[in-house]
Structure formats: structure tokens, C-alpha cells
Amino acid sequence: MKKDNKGFSLLELMIAVVILAIIIVPMLRGFVSSYRVNAKSRHLMRATTLAQDEMEIFEKEKIEDLLVMEDTDAAGNKTLRYDSTTTSMTKTGADGKEREHITYQFKREGVINDRADDREMFDVVVTLDPTVAPDGSTGVYEAENTKDLLVMNTVSGVDSATYIQRIRNEVNANGADEEVYKLYYARQLPDNITGANWTAGMFAQELDRTITLKIEQENQAGVMTTVVKVRYDYKTGYDNVPAEYREYTTKDKIIFNNAQTLDDEGNPIELKSVYLYYAPRYNDTAMEALMHEKVSPDEIIIENKDKLPVNIYIIRQNILDPADETKKLGVYWDETTKTTAYTVPNGYDVNVTINEGIGADNMTYGRYFTNLNLGLQPGITGMGNEANITLKDCDSPGMTFSKDETLKRTGLKALDATEAKDRIYTMETAVYEHGADPDTSDPVVRLTGTKIE
């Protein structure tokens, strides 16, 4: 039997190729288009995920913490996470009073979406506006913020330590020094050893006071926990006070302990901010003339020897003038008129000592903020004399720093602690291609939401 080994002719082969081309080329185009659509969708999804991640951070963190939030690279160097700018706008509310509203913009460049297999980079811009609602209508949040302002000394939270000293009590019209006035009662009233001339004003005039704030880590049941403590120490040289009563120390008041404050994974929640609100002790000129003695400067000691990266706020708090609640004023006893006077004397003195470690970036691990007079607030009256700020390196106790070096190494910034803050912000998060100009380019994705401080 003879086999037929005849193959395809050239014509048949060409016809087959043409048919395959007619079928395959559209399919290839479909595959390419599908790939491009999928790639664009993945790109959009990654940008959207990044925007959502950023919004979660901004919803959770306080604005003052976002302004100083840092990232650490592989070499241990710290840099600010966001390049931030602020825009101030003063508007007149329905009550006829002018109020300042601040819009914040946070920019972060070269952000990598860690959830992506191939690591793409984006630029993120987050804008917080207290005067515009998410639907674009103006004046809505502005009105709400005007009605309900958040004052800084109400700040607290699971990741913050807050101590607020009482402003006044019945005995001490010259600032509330808390438990130490039990000593005044114990010495003057029951035993009557000083006669009728020993007054609370005299007692306050010659009293030395030291406020110590400690931030430290302790081993509690095998778990390293962060503890923050406040202690007040008093000392008097007044002759009418018996020697055994001339020194008084309050017990350490624990204002933060994360041993029982755990996150979703069961780990202690990290301390982020510490707020020390204290009442100053102002000099009474009438008492000074009577006793020939000025009020000694307050001594404030901040200890962060375990080098924890926290924001520390040292805030001198004053009360509001009862005749005009918009005025933030101090209270002191006017011995001449026998009345409580509401004004901030210019002569307030305070010494602040910071015991800290110095990191590889030549900065302290804590970042510091205060409304004390640092010489940085031009034109502000009633701030008192410039605070004497001293930095001590806990690793090199003998090292001393000038005031300029102290301000630079601690990042110490001035703030107005009695300034009311906007409470509600519209939050817009825009994700751009890395290197794009936000002023001229459209974002890959733009999300809006609301941030409540």
C-alpha cells in the first residue's frame, strides 16, 4: 500500500496564516487593552488605598502631633513626615466677634504603597479646612466651630498624659498651689502661733515651688510600660513656720500608665503627648513691699531620661476675666484693694530644666512646646520675663548648652495655650503621580471626609 506523503501547498499555508492573523490580532489587541485597563485599575486602587490609609492616620492623630510626626530611616535618622503649611483667615461670626480659622496643608512626597507587589511611588497632599463643608458649602463648619470651640486644656486621650492644676481655692487667690495650703491652715488656724498678721498672701509670697514631670519606663510583671508622674515640692523659710513643716512634698501623681491600656493586638498603647497645665505664682507688689521679698521663680523640671519620643507641652494656664470671657488673664490677690485682680503681671519668672538624651541627629528625643515667654513672641505683652530654659544631657551630665542651643536641640516652639481651636475640619486627601505639580496636575484620586479634633 502506497502512503500519501504530500504536504500543504504554499498557497494553503498562506491562507492559513492570513486566517490566523485575522483571528489573533484582535485577540492580542484585546489582551493589550485588558492589560492596560487592569494596570490602570491597579494603579487607581493603590492610590485609593494609600489615600484611605492617610485619612485613617489623620482621623486618629491630633493636629499638633501631625505637625511634628517623624519617620526614621534605616540609619536611624529622623525626618519630619509631612511638609506642612498653614493659612490663617480671620472672619466675623454671627456674634460680631472676629475669630481666626487656620487651614492646614500636609504634603508627603515619594510615598510607597507597601501593600503593592511592585512598589509604586506617589505624592500625597492632605488639606484640613475648618470653614468649608465636604459638599463645598462655605460657612457651615465655620459656624459650627464658632459655636463650639475646643480649648486646649480639655485635651486627653488613651495615648496622652494630661495634668491640669486647679486655678483657685478659697485660701489662695494668688494661684492654686493645691495641697500645700493645708499647711497654712494647720499652722495658722489651730495653733494660732503666728497671730492674726500671718495671711495666705504672706505664705504664698515666701514659698519656693518645684514642679517635676517624669516620663519613664518601668518593668511591671515582665512588661515594659510607660509611666508619667507629676510631683510638687514646696519649701519655706518663713520664721513663723516650725522647722518640721517648712518642706512639703505631694505624692507622685500618676497621669499615664499604659500597663492596662492595650491596642487591638494586646500591646501597650504608645505614649505620644504629655500636657502639663500649671497655675503660675505671680509676685504681689503690695506683699513684696510689706515683706521685702519677691516670689521666687517657679522651678519646672522635665525628666525624660529613658529617651522616649514624645511631644511635651509646658503650659502656663490663666483664668478668664469674669467680666469678659474672651480675655485670657491671670488672677492674683491685690492686698491694697483687698480684692481679686484679673491681670497678668509682667514680672513672672520661671526656670525650666529639661533632663533628656541627645540622639544621633543632635536633637532631644522629646519635642517641646510652651506658652512661656521664650523671646520668640514679638509684640506680646503680659507674658512675663523670658523663661530661663536649661538643657541637661542625661548621658553627659557635665555638658551645658546655651539658650539658643537648647531651643534648637529641643525643637522648643512657642504656642498660645489659651487660644481656642477649631473643632471640625473638612479633610481632603489627594494622591498625585510622584513628581507632579499639584497646582497644575489632576490627582490620581481625591477623597474627602471630616476630621473632628
Side-chain angles (χ1 to χ4, degrees), residues 161 212-218 225-230 255-256 271 273-275 301-313 355-356 366 368:
T212 303
L213 175 72
K214 282 188 177 182
I215 306 166
E216 54 192 3
Q217 289 191 312
E218 297 180 356
T225 59
T226 301
V227 180
V228 182
K229 305 173 183 176
V230 176
I255 59 174
F256 183 87
L271 175 68
S273 301
V274 179
Y275 300 87
I301 300 173
I302 310 295
E303 294 189 359
N304 185 22
K305 296 182 179 180
D306 287 331
K307 308 172 186 176
L308 298 179
V310 296
N311 300 317
I312 301 169
Y313 298 82
N355 292 316
E356 258 267 29
Y368 292 82

PDB file of all heavy atoms in Angstrom, residues 161 212-218 225-230 255-256 271 273-275 301-313 355-356 366 368:
ATOM      1  N   ALA A 161      -0.881  61.945  78.198  1.00  0.00           N
ATOM      2  CA  ALA A 161      -0.880  62.164  79.641  1.00  0.00           C
ATOM      3  C   ALA A 161      -1.199  63.623  79.887  1.00  0.00           C
ATOM      4  O   ALA A 161      -0.548  64.504  79.316  1.00  0.00           O
ATOM      5  CB  ALA A 161       0.480  61.804  80.231  1.00  0.00           C
ATOM      6  N   THR A 212       7.884  68.814  89.189  1.00  0.00           N
ATOM      7  CA  THR A 212       8.684  67.804  88.482  1.00  0.00           C
ATOM      8  C   THR A 212       7.770  66.895  87.675  1.00  0.00           C
ATOM      9  O   THR A 212       6.806  66.332  88.213  1.00  0.00           O
ATOM     10  CB  THR A 212       9.513  66.955  89.464  1.00  0.00           C
ATOM     11  OG1 THR A 212      10.342  67.819  90.248  1.00  0.00           O
ATOM     12  CG2 THR A 212      10.388  65.961  88.711  1.00  0.00           C
ATOM     13  N   LEU A 213       8.081  66.779  86.388  1.00  0.00           N
ATOM     14  CA  LEU A 213       7.352  65.882  85.488  1.00  0.00           C
ATOM     15  C   LEU A 213       8.306  64.796  85.035  1.00  0.00           C
ATOM     16  O   LEU A 213       9.341  65.074  84.429  1.00  0.00           O
ATOM     17  CB  LEU A 213       6.819  66.659  84.284  1.00  0.00           C
ATOM     18  CG  LEU A 213       6.133  65.840  83.185  1.00  0.00           C
ATOM     19  CD1 LEU A 213       4.766  65.350  83.665  1.00  0.00           C
ATOM     20  CD2 LEU A 213       5.969  66.660  81.914  1.00  0.00           C
ATOM     21  N   LYS A 214       7.973  63.545  85.343  1.00  0.00           N
ATOM     22  CA  LYS A 214       8.832  62.408  84.984  1.00  0.00           C
ATOM     23  C   LYS A 214       8.156  61.523  83.946  1.00  0.00           C
ATOM     24  O   LYS A 214       6.996  61.120  84.123  1.00  0.00           O
ATOM     25  CB  LYS A 214       9.158  61.564  86.219  1.00  0.00           C
ATOM     26  CG  LYS A 214      10.229  62.147  87.118  1.00  0.00           C
ATOM     27  CD  LYS A 214      10.622  61.144  88.192  1.00  0.00           C
ATOM     28  CE  LYS A 214      11.745  61.689  89.072  1.00  0.00           C
ATOM     29  NZ  LYS A 214      12.151  60.677  90.095  1.00  0.00           N
ATOM     30  N   ILE A 215       8.900  61.217  82.899  1.00  0.00           N
ATOM     31  CA  ILE A 215       8.444  60.280  81.871  1.00  0.00           C
ATOM     32  C   ILE A 215       9.435  59.125  81.885  1.00  0.00           C
ATOM     33  O   ILE A 215      10.618  59.311  81.563  1.00  0.00           O
ATOM     34  CB  ILE A 215       8.410  60.946  80.483  1.00  0.00           C
ATOM     35  CG1 ILE A 215       7.581  62.230  80.531  1.00  0.00           C
ATOM     36  CG2 ILE A 215       7.867  59.986  79.434  1.00  0.00           C
ATOM     37  CD1 ILE A 215       7.767  63.105  79.321  1.00  0.00           C
ATOM     38  N   GLU A 216       8.979  57.946  82.252  1.00  0.00           N
ATOM     39  CA  GLU A 216       9.919  56.844  82.404  1.00  0.00           C
ATOM     40  C   GLU A 216       9.261  55.510  82.092  1.00  0.00           C
ATOM     41  O   GLU A 216       8.029  55.402  82.012  1.00  0.00           O
ATOM     42  CB  GLU A 216      10.483  56.821  83.829  1.00  0.00           C
ATOM     43  CG  GLU A 216       9.431  56.802  84.920  1.00  0.00           C
ATOM     44  CD  GLU A 216      10.007  57.064  86.307  1.00  0.00           C
ATOM     45  OE1 GLU A 216      11.226  57.313  86.405  1.00  0.00           O
ATOM     46  OE2 GLU A 216       9.244  57.006  87.282  1.00  0.00           O
ATOM     47  N   GLN A 217      10.101  54.511  81.895  1.00  0.00           N
ATOM     48  CA  GLN A 217       9.628  53.155  81.640  1.00  0.00           C
ATOM     49  C   GLN A 217       9.896  52.288  82.855  1.00  0.00           C
ATOM     50  O   GLN A 217      10.952  52.382  83.482  1.00  0.00           O
ATOM     51  CB  GLN A 217      10.293  52.568  80.397  1.00  0.00           C
ATOM     52  CG  GLN A 217       9.815  53.205  79.092  1.00  0.00           C
ATOM     53  CD  GLN A 217      10.265  52.446  77.865  1.00  0.00           C
ATOM     54  OE1 GLN A 217      11.426  52.094  77.729  1.00  0.00           O
ATOM     55  NE2 GLN A 217       9.330  52.197  76.967  1.00  0.00           N
ATOM     56  N   GLU A 218       8.929  51.447  83.173  1.00  0.00           N
ATOM     57  CA  GLU A 218       9.044  50.549  84.318  1.00  0.00           C
ATOM     58  C   GLU A 218       8.706  49.130  83.887  1.00  0.00           C
ATOM     59  O   GLU A 218       7.873  48.918  83.003  1.00  0.00           O
ATOM     60  CB  GLU A 218       8.083  50.975  85.432  1.00  0.00           C
ATOM     61  CG  GLU A 218       8.372  52.343  86.016  1.00  0.00           C
ATOM     62  CD  GLU A 218       7.394  52.718  87.118  1.00  0.00           C
ATOM     63  OE1 GLU A 218       6.442  51.927  87.353  1.00  0.00           O
ATOM     64  OE2 GLU A 218       7.569  53.782  87.731  1.00  0.00           O
ATOM     65  N   THR A 225       6.415  49.096  80.617  1.00  0.00           N
ATOM     66  CA  THR A 225       5.308  50.033  80.484  1.00  0.00           C
ATOM     67  C   THR A 225       5.827  51.457  80.633  1.00  0.00           C
ATOM     68  O   THR A 225       6.877  51.704  81.246  1.00  0.00           O
ATOM     69  CB  THR A 225       4.225  49.777  81.536  1.00  0.00           C
ATOM     70  OG1 THR A 225       4.801  49.909  82.842  1.00  0.00           O
ATOM     71  CG2 THR A 225       3.654  48.379  81.391  1.00  0.00           C
ATOM     72  N   THR A 226       5.090  52.387  80.087  1.00  0.00           N
ATOM     73  CA  THR A 226       5.447  53.803  80.171  1.00  0.00           C
ATOM     74  C   THR A 226       4.589  54.464  81.247  1.00  0.00           C
ATOM     75  O   THR A 226       3.366  54.294  81.260  1.00  0.00           O
ATOM     76  CB  THR A 226       5.223  54.503  78.825  1.00  0.00           C
ATOM     77  OG1 THR A 226       6.012  53.852  77.822  1.00  0.00           O
ATOM     78  CG2 THR A 226       5.636  55.964  78.901  1.00  0.00           C
ATOM     79  N   VAL A 227       5.243  55.188  82.147  1.00  0.00           N
ATOM     80  CA  VAL A 227       4.559  55.842  83.259  1.00  0.00           C
ATOM     81  C   VAL A 227       4.952  57.314  83.271  1.00  0.00           C
ATOM     82  O   VAL A 227       6.123  57.657  83.087  1.00  0.00           O
ATOM     83  CB  VAL A 227       4.920  55.187  84.604  1.00  0.00           C
ATOM     84  CG1 VAL A 227       4.206  55.890  85.757  1.00  0.00           C
ATOM     85  CG2 VAL A 227       4.581  53.705  84.591  1.00  0.00           C
ATOM     86  N   VAL A 228       3.975  58.186  83.492  1.00  0.00           N
ATOM     87  CA  VAL A 228       4.227  59.625  83.615  1.00  0.00           C
ATOM     88  C   VAL A 228       3.738  60.067  84.990  1.00  0.00           C
ATOM     89  O   VAL A 228       2.613  59.763  85.378  1.00  0.00           O
ATOM     90  CB  VAL A 228       3.520  60.425  82.511  1.00  0.00           C
ATOM     91  CG1 VAL A 228       3.836  61.907  82.652  1.00  0.00           C
ATOM     92  CG2 VAL A 228       3.919  59.920  81.125  1.00  0.00           C
ATOM     93  N   LYS A 229       4.605  60.794  85.717  1.00  0.00           N
ATOM     94  CA  LYS A 229       4.281  61.212  87.078  1.00  0.00           C
ATOM     95  C   LYS A 229       4.508  62.711  87.235  1.00  0.00           C
ATOM     96  O   LYS A 229       5.380  63.290  86.590  1.00  0.00           O
ATOM     97  CB  LYS A 229       5.167  60.478  88.098  1.00  0.00           C
ATOM     98  CG  LYS A 229       5.122  58.958  88.001  1.00  0.00           C
ATOM     99  CD  LYS A 229       6.158  58.331  88.920  1.00  0.00           C
ATOM    100  CE  LYS A 229       6.172  56.811  88.787  1.00  0.00           C
ATOM    101  NZ  LYS A 229       7.245  56.207  89.601  1.00  0.00           N
ATOM    102  N   VAL A 230       3.715  63.326  88.114  1.00  0.00           N
ATOM    103  CA  VAL A 230       3.871  64.746  88.457  1.00  0.00           C
ATOM    104  C   VAL A 230       4.020  64.868  89.970  1.00  0.00           C
ATOM    105  O   VAL A 230       3.292  64.222  90.729  1.00  0.00           O
ATOM    106  CB  VAL A 230       2.660  65.573  87.975  1.00  0.00           C
ATOM    107  CG1 VAL A 230       2.798  67.028  88.423  1.00  0.00           C
ATOM    108  CG2 VAL A 230       2.542  65.518  86.456  1.00  0.00           C
ATOM    109  N   ILE A 255      -0.202  60.173  85.935  1.00  0.00           N
ATOM    110  CA  ILE A 255      -1.167  60.681  84.960  1.00  0.00           C
ATOM    111  C   ILE A 255      -1.187  59.844  83.685  1.00  0.00           C
ATOM    112  O   ILE A 255      -1.984  60.106  82.792  1.00  0.00           O
ATOM    113  CB  ILE A 255      -0.883  62.159  84.624  1.00  0.00           C
ATOM    114  CG1 ILE A 255       0.525  62.332  84.059  1.00  0.00           C
ATOM    115  CG2 ILE A 255      -1.070  63.025  85.859  1.00  0.00           C
ATOM    116  CD1 ILE A 255       0.811  63.751  83.580  1.00  0.00           C
ATOM    117  N   PHE A 256      -0.304  58.839  83.617  1.00  0.00           N
ATOM    118  CA  PHE A 256      -0.329  57.924  82.467  1.00  0.00           C
ATOM    119  C   PHE A 256       0.354  56.630  82.861  1.00  0.00           C
ATOM    120  O   PHE A 256       1.428  56.637  83.464  1.00  0.00           O
ATOM    121  CB  PHE A 256       0.384  58.538  81.257  1.00  0.00           C
ATOM    122  CG  PHE A 256       0.333  57.670  80.012  1.00  0.00           C
ATOM    123  CD1 PHE A 256      -0.742  57.748  79.146  1.00  0.00           C
ATOM    124  CD2 PHE A 256       1.355  56.779  79.722  1.00  0.00           C
ATOM    125  CE1 PHE A 256      -0.797  56.961  77.997  1.00  0.00           C
ATOM    126  CE2 PHE A 256       1.313  55.984  78.580  1.00  0.00           C
ATOM    127  CZ  PHE A 256       0.226  56.076  77.721  1.00  0.00           C
ATOM    128  N   LEU A 271       2.828  56.053  74.268  1.00  0.00           N
ATOM    129  CA  LEU A 271       2.614  57.424  74.701  1.00  0.00           C
ATOM    130  C   LEU A 271       3.062  58.377  73.590  1.00  0.00           C
ATOM    131  O   LEU A 271       4.160  58.246  73.062  1.00  0.00           O
ATOM    132  CB  LEU A 271       3.414  57.706  75.976  1.00  0.00           C
ATOM    133  CG  LEU A 271       3.389  59.150  76.485  1.00  0.00           C
ATOM    134  CD1 LEU A 271       2.003  59.524  76.979  1.00  0.00           C
ATOM    135  CD2 LEU A 271       4.419  59.340  77.596  1.00  0.00           C
ATOM    136  N   SER A 273       1.900  62.127  73.668  1.00  0.00           N
ATOM    137  CA  SER A 273       1.946  63.525  74.106  1.00  0.00           C
ATOM    138  C   SER A 273       1.773  63.616  75.618  1.00  0.00           C
ATOM    139  O   SER A 273       1.055  62.805  76.219  1.00  0.00           O
ATOM    140  CB  SER A 273       0.862  64.358  73.416  1.00  0.00           C
ATOM    141  OG  SER A 273       1.008  64.325  72.014  1.00  0.00           O
ATOM    142  N   VAL A 274       2.423  64.619  76.210  1.00  0.00           N
ATOM    143  CA  VAL A 274       2.295  64.900  77.636  1.00  0.00           C
ATOM    144  C   VAL A 274       1.965  66.377  77.786  1.00  0.00           C
ATOM    145  O   VAL A 274       2.648  67.241  77.223  1.00  0.00           O
ATOM    146  CB  VAL A 274       3.589  64.582  78.397  1.00  0.00           C
ATOM    147  CG1 VAL A 274       3.422  64.904  79.876  1.00  0.00           C
ATOM    148  CG2 VAL A 274       3.977  63.114  78.222  1.00  0.00           C
ATOM    149  N   TYR A 275       0.892  66.677  78.545  1.00  0.00           N
ATOM    150  CA  TYR A 275       0.445  68.044  78.749  1.00  0.00           C
ATOM    151  C   TYR A 275       0.546  68.385  80.236  1.00  0.00           C
ATOM    152  O   TYR A 275      -0.081  67.737  81.068  1.00  0.00           O
ATOM    153  CB  TYR A 275      -1.001  68.226  78.294  1.00  0.00           C
ATOM    154  CG  TYR A 275      -1.233  67.924  76.828  1.00  0.00           C
ATOM    155  CD1 TYR A 275      -1.506  66.624  76.396  1.00  0.00           C
ATOM    156  CD2 TYR A 275      -1.184  68.929  75.878  1.00  0.00           C
ATOM    157  CE1 TYR A 275      -1.721  66.338  75.053  1.00  0.00           C
ATOM    158  CE2 TYR A 275      -1.394  68.661  74.539  1.00  0.00           C
ATOM    159  CZ  TYR A 275      -1.662  67.367  74.130  1.00  0.00           C
ATOM    160  OH  TYR A 275      -1.870  67.094  72.808  1.00  0.00           O
ATOM    161  N   ILE A 301      10.871  71.051  86.315  1.00  0.00           N
ATOM    162  CA  ILE A 301      11.865  70.057  85.887  1.00  0.00           C
ATOM    163  C   ILE A 301      11.170  68.991  85.057  1.00  0.00           C
ATOM    164  O   ILE A 301      10.190  68.380  85.507  1.00  0.00           O
ATOM    165  CB  ILE A 301      12.564  69.412  87.099  1.00  0.00           C
ATOM    166  CG1 ILE A 301      13.287  70.484  87.932  1.00  0.00           C
ATOM    167  CG2 ILE A 301      13.542  68.333  86.648  1.00  0.00           C
ATOM    168  CD1 ILE A 301      13.867  69.957  89.230  1.00  0.00           C
ATOM    169  N   ILE A 302      11.648  68.779  83.845  1.00  0.00           N
ATOM    170  CA  ILE A 302      11.127  67.734  82.962  1.00  0.00           C
ATOM    171  C   ILE A 302      12.189  66.650  82.837  1.00  0.00           C
ATOM    172  O   ILE A 302      13.321  66.928  82.423  1.00  0.00           O
ATOM    173  CB  ILE A 302      10.786  68.290  81.564  1.00  0.00           C
ATOM    174  CG1 ILE A 302       9.917  69.543  81.668  1.00  0.00           C
ATOM    175  CG2 ILE A 302      10.111  67.214  80.723  1.00  0.00           C
ATOM    176  CD1 ILE A 302       8.556  69.320  82.253  1.00  0.00           C
ATOM    177  N   GLU A 303      11.847  65.421  83.198  1.00  0.00           N
ATOM    178  CA  GLU A 303      12.796  64.311  83.108  1.00  0.00           C
ATOM    179  C   GLU A 303      12.300  63.285  82.097  1.00  0.00           C
ATOM    180  O   GLU A 303      11.214  62.725  82.253  1.00  0.00           O
ATOM    181  CB  GLU A 303      12.999  63.661  84.477  1.00  0.00           C
ATOM    182  CG  GLU A 303      13.678  64.577  85.487  1.00  0.00           C
ATOM    183  CD  GLU A 303      14.063  63.856  86.764  1.00  0.00           C
ATOM    184  OE1 GLU A 303      13.785  62.628  86.860  1.00  0.00           O
ATOM    185  OE2 GLU A 303      14.624  64.490  87.661  1.00  0.00           O
ATOM    186  N   ASN A 304      13.104  63.079  81.067  1.00  0.00           N
ATOM    187  CA  ASN A 304      12.817  62.063  80.048  1.00  0.00           C
ATOM    188  C   ASN A 304      14.093  61.261  79.817  1.00  0.00           C
ATOM    189  O   ASN A 304      14.618  61.173  78.706  1.00  0.00           O
ATOM    190  CB  ASN A 304      12.333  62.721  78.751  1.00  0.00           C
ATOM    191  CG  ASN A 304      11.916  61.708  77.699  1.00  0.00           C
ATOM    192  OD1 ASN A 304      11.588  60.561  78.000  1.00  0.00           O
ATOM    193  ND2 ASN A 304      11.953  62.113  76.443  1.00  0.00           N
ATOM    194  N   LYS A 305      14.611  60.694  80.905  1.00  0.00           N
ATOM    195  CA  LYS A 305      15.909  60.027  80.860  1.00  0.00           C
ATOM    196  C   LYS A 305      15.871  58.702  80.107  1.00  0.00           C
ATOM    197  O   LYS A 305      16.924  58.177  79.724  1.00  0.00           O
ATOM    198  CB  LYS A 305      16.429  59.825  82.281  1.00  0.00           C
ATOM    199  CG  LYS A 305      16.711  61.138  83.014  1.00  0.00           C
ATOM    200  CD  LYS A 305      17.269  60.905  84.409  1.00  0.00           C
ATOM    201  CE  LYS A 305      17.561  62.223  85.102  1.00  0.00           C
ATOM    202  NZ  LYS A 305      18.114  62.033  86.467  1.00  0.00           N
ATOM    203  N   ASP A 306      14.670  58.149  79.899  1.00  0.00           N
ATOM    204  CA  ASP A 306      14.567  56.918  79.103  1.00  0.00           C
ATOM    205  C   ASP A 306      14.435  57.213  77.612  1.00  0.00           C
ATOM    206  O   ASP A 306      14.230  56.301  76.815  1.00  0.00           O
ATOM    207  CB  ASP A 306      13.381  56.073  79.590  1.00  0.00           C
ATOM    208  CG  ASP A 306      13.666  55.413  80.931  1.00  0.00           C
ATOM    209  OD1 ASP A 306      14.853  55.147  81.205  1.00  0.00           O
ATOM    210  OD2 ASP A 306      12.720  55.167  81.691  1.00  0.00           O
ATOM    211  N   LYS A 307      14.530  58.490  77.259  1.00  0.00           N
ATOM    212  CA  LYS A 307      14.639  58.924  75.861  1.00  0.00           C
ATOM    213  C   LYS A 307      13.447  58.476  75.016  1.00  0.00           C
ATOM    214  O   LYS A 307      13.601  57.877  73.958  1.00  0.00           O
ATOM    215  CB  LYS A 307      15.952  58.413  75.251  1.00  0.00           C
ATOM    216  CG  LYS A 307      17.186  58.752  76.071  1.00  0.00           C
ATOM    217  CD  LYS A 307      18.425  58.060  75.532  1.00  0.00           C
ATOM    218  CE  LYS A 307      19.613  58.283  76.436  1.00  0.00           C
ATOM    219  NZ  LYS A 307      20.806  57.544  75.972  1.00  0.00           N
ATOM    220  N   LEU A 308      12.260  58.767  75.505  1.00  0.00           N
ATOM    221  CA  LEU A 308      11.057  58.394  74.762  1.00  0.00           C
ATOM    222  C   LEU A 308      10.682  59.506  73.779  1.00  0.00           C
ATOM    223  O   LEU A 308      10.699  60.694  74.127  1.00  0.00           O
ATOM    224  CB  LEU A 308       9.895  58.149  75.728  1.00  0.00           C
ATOM    225  CG  LEU A 308      10.122  57.006  76.727  1.00  0.00           C
ATOM    226  CD1 LEU A 308       8.931  56.867  77.650  1.00  0.00           C
ATOM    227  CD2 LEU A 308      10.389  55.710  76.011  1.00  0.00           C
ATOM    228  N   PRO A 309      10.333  59.167  72.544  1.00  0.00           N
ATOM    229  CA  PRO A 309       9.982  60.171  71.528  1.00  0.00           C
ATOM    230  C   PRO A 309       8.555  60.671  71.704  1.00  0.00           C
ATOM    231  O   PRO A 309       7.613  60.176  71.084  1.00  0.00           O
ATOM    232  CB  PRO A 309      10.155  59.403  70.216  1.00  0.00           C
ATOM    233  CG  PRO A 309       9.870  57.977  70.581  1.00  0.00           C
ATOM    234  CD  PRO A 309      10.342  57.792  72.000  1.00  0.00           C
ATOM    235  N   VAL A 310       8.374  61.666  72.566  1.00  0.00           N
ATOM    236  CA  VAL A 310       7.029  62.179  72.857  1.00  0.00           C
ATOM    237  C   VAL A 310       7.003  63.696  72.657  1.00  0.00           C
ATOM    238  O   VAL A 310       8.036  64.361  72.664  1.00  0.00           O
ATOM    239  CB  VAL A 310       6.600  61.839  74.305  1.00  0.00           C
ATOM    240  CG1 VAL A 310       6.498  60.338  74.501  1.00  0.00           C
ATOM    241  CG2 VAL A 310       7.580  62.429  75.309  1.00  0.00           C
ATOM    242  N   ASN A 311       5.805  64.230  72.492  1.00  0.00           N
ATOM    243  CA  ASN A 311       5.593  65.674  72.451  1.00  0.00           C
ATOM    244  C   ASN A 311       5.244  66.140  73.866  1.00  0.00           C
ATOM    245  O   ASN A 311       4.344  65.582  74.496  1.00  0.00           O
ATOM    246  CB  ASN A 311       4.461  66.025  71.491  1.00  0.00           C
ATOM    247  CG  ASN A 311       4.750  65.570  70.079  1.00  0.00           C
ATOM    248  OD1 ASN A 311       5.862  65.720  69.587  1.00  0.00           O
ATOM    249  ND2 ASN A 311       3.750  65.003  69.423  1.00  0.00           N
ATOM    250  N   ILE A 312       5.955  67.151  74.357  1.00  0.00           N
ATOM    251  CA  ILE A 312       5.782  67.604  75.731  1.00  0.00           C
ATOM    252  C   ILE A 312       5.358  69.076  75.723  1.00  0.00           C
ATOM    253  O   ILE A 312       6.049  69.929  75.162  1.00  0.00           O
ATOM    254  CB  ILE A 312       7.082  67.424  76.539  1.00  0.00           C
ATOM    255  CG1 ILE A 312       7.494  65.937  76.523  1.00  0.00           C
ATOM    256  CG2 ILE A 312       6.905  67.924  77.969  1.00  0.00           C
ATOM    257  CD1 ILE A 312       8.877  65.683  77.051  1.00  0.00           C
ATOM    258  N   TYR A 313       4.208  69.350  76.342  1.00  0.00           N
ATOM    259  CA  TYR A 313       3.643  70.699  76.374  1.00  0.00           C
ATOM    260  C   TYR A 313       3.724  71.246  77.792  1.00  0.00           C
ATOM    261  O   TYR A 313       3.189  70.644  78.727  1.00  0.00           O
ATOM    262  CB  TYR A 313       2.187  70.679  75.902  1.00  0.00           C
ATOM    263  CG  TYR A 313       2.025  70.209  74.477  1.00  0.00           C
ATOM    264  CD1 TYR A 313       2.007  68.857  74.162  1.00  0.00           C
ATOM    265  CD2 TYR A 313       1.905  71.128  73.437  1.00  0.00           C
ATOM    266  CE1 TYR A 313       1.876  68.420  72.851  1.00  0.00           C
ATOM    267  CE2 TYR A 313       1.762  70.706  72.128  1.00  0.00           C
ATOM    268  CZ  TYR A 313       1.752  69.353  71.842  1.00  0.00           C
ATOM    269  OH  TYR A 313       1.618  68.927  70.544  1.00  0.00           O
ATOM    270  N   ASN A 355      15.866  67.448  81.486  1.00  0.00           N
ATOM    271  CA  ASN A 355      16.837  66.352  81.578  1.00  0.00           C
ATOM    272  C   ASN A 355      16.485  65.326  80.505  1.00  0.00           C
ATOM    273  O   ASN A 355      15.483  64.622  80.617  1.00  0.00           O
ATOM    274  CB  ASN A 355      16.801  65.705  82.963  1.00  0.00           C
ATOM    275  CG  ASN A 355      17.322  66.639  84.038  1.00  0.00           C
ATOM    276  OD1 ASN A 355      18.334  67.293  83.845  1.00  0.00           O
ATOM    277  ND2 ASN A 355      16.618  66.714  85.159  1.00  0.00           N
ATOM    278  N   GLU A 356      17.303  65.249  79.479  1.00  0.00           N
ATOM    279  CA  GLU A 356      16.990  64.460  78.279  1.00  0.00           C
ATOM    280  C   GLU A 356      18.248  63.804  77.743  1.00  0.00           C
ATOM    281  O   GLU A 356      19.359  64.087  78.182  1.00  0.00           O
ATOM    282  CB  GLU A 356      16.423  65.397  77.204  1.00  0.00           C
ATOM    283  CG  GLU A 356      14.907  65.327  77.078  1.00  0.00           C
ATOM    284  CD  GLU A 356      14.470  64.333  76.025  1.00  0.00           C
ATOM    285  OE1 GLU A 356      15.203  63.343  75.792  1.00  0.00           O
ATOM    286  OE2 GLU A 356      13.405  64.532  75.437  1.00  0.00           O
ATOM    287  N   GLY A 366      12.467  63.994  72.941  1.00  0.00           N
ATOM    288  CA  GLY A 366      11.183  64.663  73.076  1.00  0.00           C
ATOM    289  C   GLY A 366      11.161  65.936  72.254  1.00  0.00           C
ATOM    290  O   GLY A 366      12.205  66.520  71.943  1.00  0.00           O
ATOM    291  N   TYR A 368       9.327  69.769  72.306  1.00  0.00           N
ATOM    292  CA  TYR A 368       8.784  70.602  73.375  1.00  0.00           C
ATOM    293  C   TYR A 368       8.022  71.807  72.830  1.00  0.00           C
ATOM    294  O   TYR A 368       8.397  72.402  71.823  1.00  0.00           O
ATOM    295  CB  TYR A 368       9.921  71.072  74.294  1.00  0.00           C
ATOM    296  CG  TYR A 368      10.530  69.934  75.080  1.00  0.00           C
ATOM    297  CD1 TYR A 368      11.496  69.112  74.508  1.00  0.00           C
ATOM    298  CD2 TYR A 368      10.120  69.659  76.376  1.00  0.00           C
ATOM    299  CE1 TYR A 368      12.043  68.050  75.217  1.00  0.00           C
ATOM    300  CE2 TYR A 368      10.659  68.600  77.096  1.00  0.00           C
ATOM    301  CZ  TYR A 368      11.623  67.806  76.506  1.00  0.00           C
ATOM    302  OH  TYR A 368      12.148  66.753  77.207  1.00  0.00           O
TER     303      TYR A 368
END
